[in-house]
Amino acid sequence: RMPASIPEADRRHRASAAFSLSFLSLVFSITAFTSSHWCEGTRKVAKPFCKGDTKGDMCIRFNSPDGNNSQAVQYIWETGDDKYVEKNFHAGIWYSCEEMINEEGEKCRSFISLTPASDRGVLWLSIVAELLYVGLLLIGNILMSVEIFYYSSVIDGLKINAFSAVVTVLAGLLGMVAHMMYTTVFQMTVNLGPEDWRPHTWDYGWSYGLAWTSFACCMAAAVTTINKYTKTILEFKHKRKKLERSFRIQYNFPDH
C-alpha cells in the first residue's frame, strides 16, 4: 500500500542527492575539458647528436677517438633501436604536449592544428558540444539549488524539478556525443596526422576517464530527478483519489 504522503525530508533528500551528482558532473566536466590528458603515450624519435660534454643514453656521441673512422660512424647509425628514444606525450581537446630530450619541460602545440583538415570540423563540433554540455550542467545545478533552498510550495518545486530533469538529460546526451566525436577525431589524427607527431604507443588518460565519469554522474542526477518528479506526481494522484473517495462517502452517508 502506498503511504499517504511523501515526507518533506525524503523529498529534500532526493533533491540534495540529485544536486550533489549534478555538481560533481559539472566539476569533472570542467576539469576534463581544460586538461590535456585525454590521451597519453610515447613517440619514437631519433636521438640527436650530443653537444659538448653531454653524456647519457639520450643522444648519439660522434666526437669519439674513432670519430674520423667512417666505419665507426656507420656502425653507430646501424645499431637499430639504439638510435631511437621514446618521448612521453599527452594530448587533450586544446593542445598536445611532449617532453623535451636532454632538456627540462615540455613542448606544446595546438591539437586543432594537428588534426587533419577533413576532421577539423568534427573537432569543432565536439568543442561546441562540450561547451553546451558544461553550460546545461551549470543551468541544471542552479535550478536544483533553487528547488532545494528557495521554492515556496510543492507545486513550484515540481515545476522546477521537471525543467531541471529535461536540462540534465539534454546535457548528458550532448556530453556523450561530444566525447564520442573527440574519440573519433583523435583516432583519425593518430592515423593521418603529421609525421612529427604520430605516437608510437598510446592509450586514454585520466581526463578521458574523468569526462565519462562526469557523464555517468549527469545521467545518475537525471534519473534521480525524474524519479523524484514521478513519485511526487503519483503522490498527488493518490491524495486526489483519497479525497474523492472521502467526498463520495460523505455524500452517500450525510451527517444528520
Side-chain angles (χ1 to χ4, degrees):
R1 182 182 176 183
M2 186 176 292
S5 63
I6 298 177
E8 181 68 19
D10 181 62
R11 283 197 293 266
R12 289 192 174 275
H13 175 73
R14 290 176 180 275
S16 299
F19 173 76
S20 299
L21 288 168
S22 182
F23 182 75
L24 281 176
S25 178
L26 178 63
V27 172
F28 290 163
S29 64
I30 293 175
T31 303
F33 185 61
T34 56
S35 69
S36 62
H37 288 267
W38 285 62
C39 299
E40 300 174 342
T42 60
R43 286 192 61 240
K44 195 173 184 180
V45 298
K47 294 179 182 179
F49 289 114
C50 297
K51 298 179 180 179
D53 296 330
T54 305
K55 296 181 180 180
D57 298 329
M58 301 297 288
C59 61
I60 298 175
R61 293 197 61 82
F62 63 93
N63 55 347
S64 61
D66 296 327
N68 295 325
N69 189 331
S70 60
Q71 292 182 352
V73 175
Q74 186 70 19
Y75 172 77
I76 290 174
W77 280 100
E78 290 182 354
T79 53
D81 288 340
D82 289 342
K83 70 176 181 179
Y84 293 102
V85 63
E86 291 187 347
K87 298 196 300 182
N88 295 322
F89 86 97
H90 53 89
I93 293 178
W94 298 107
Y95 51 91
S96 173
C97 298
E98 63 183 41
E99 64 179 345
M100 305 286 287
I101 298 179
N102 294 325
E103 295 181 22
E104 295 183 357
E106 295 179 326
K107 176 184 177 182
C108 296
R109 291 182 284 181
S110 169
F111 183 75
I112 298 174
S113 64
L114 299 172
T115 307
S118 58
D119 297 308
R120 206 160 290 169
V122 180
L123 179 60
W124 279 111
L125 285 176
S126 174
I127 293 173
V128 171
E130 286 284 354
L131 289 172
L132 290 174
Y133 174 53
V134 174
L136 288 174
L137 281 176
L138 181 60
I139 293 174
N141 272 268
I142 293 173
L143 290 173
M144 291 178 187
S145 63
V146 170
E147 180 189 357
I148 294 173
F149 299 109
Y150 296 106
Y151 77 88
S152 57
S153 66
V154 177
I155 297 297
D156 293 338
L158 195 62
K159 293 177 181 178
I160 297 174
N161 185 248
F163 192 46
S164 61
V166 172
V167 169
T168 307
V169 170
L170 183 58
L173 293 176
L174 280 171
M176 179 182 66
V177 171
H179 302 345
M180 293 177 66
M181 283 194 297
Y182 177 79
T183 303
T184 301
V185 170
F186 184 84
Q187 291 175 350
M188 293 300 295
T189 306
V190 168
N191 296 325
L192 304 175
E195 289 286 349
D196 63 343
W197 177 84
R198 293 181 193 177
H200 177 62
T201 60
W202 67 275
D203 201 353
Y204 297 109
W206 61 266
S207 296
Y208 188 79
L210 199 64
W212 282 108
T213 302
S214 170
F215 166 75
C217 290
C218 176
M219 298 311 295
V223 170
T224 304
T225 305
I226 294 173
N227 178 263
K228 178 179 178 293
Y229 177 83
T230 304
K231 289 195 69 173
T232 306
I233 291 294
L234 291 176
E235 170 65 13
F236 281 155
K237 289 182 177 179
H238 179 73
K239 290 177 68 176
R240 186 179 66 180
K241 289 181 180 179
K242 185 177 179 181
L243 189 60
E244 290 175 352
R245 191 181 303 116
S246 177
F247 285 152
R248 192 178 301 115
I249 292 174
Q250 290 181 10
Y251 177 77
N252 293 331
F253 303 97
D255 294 333
H256 296 283

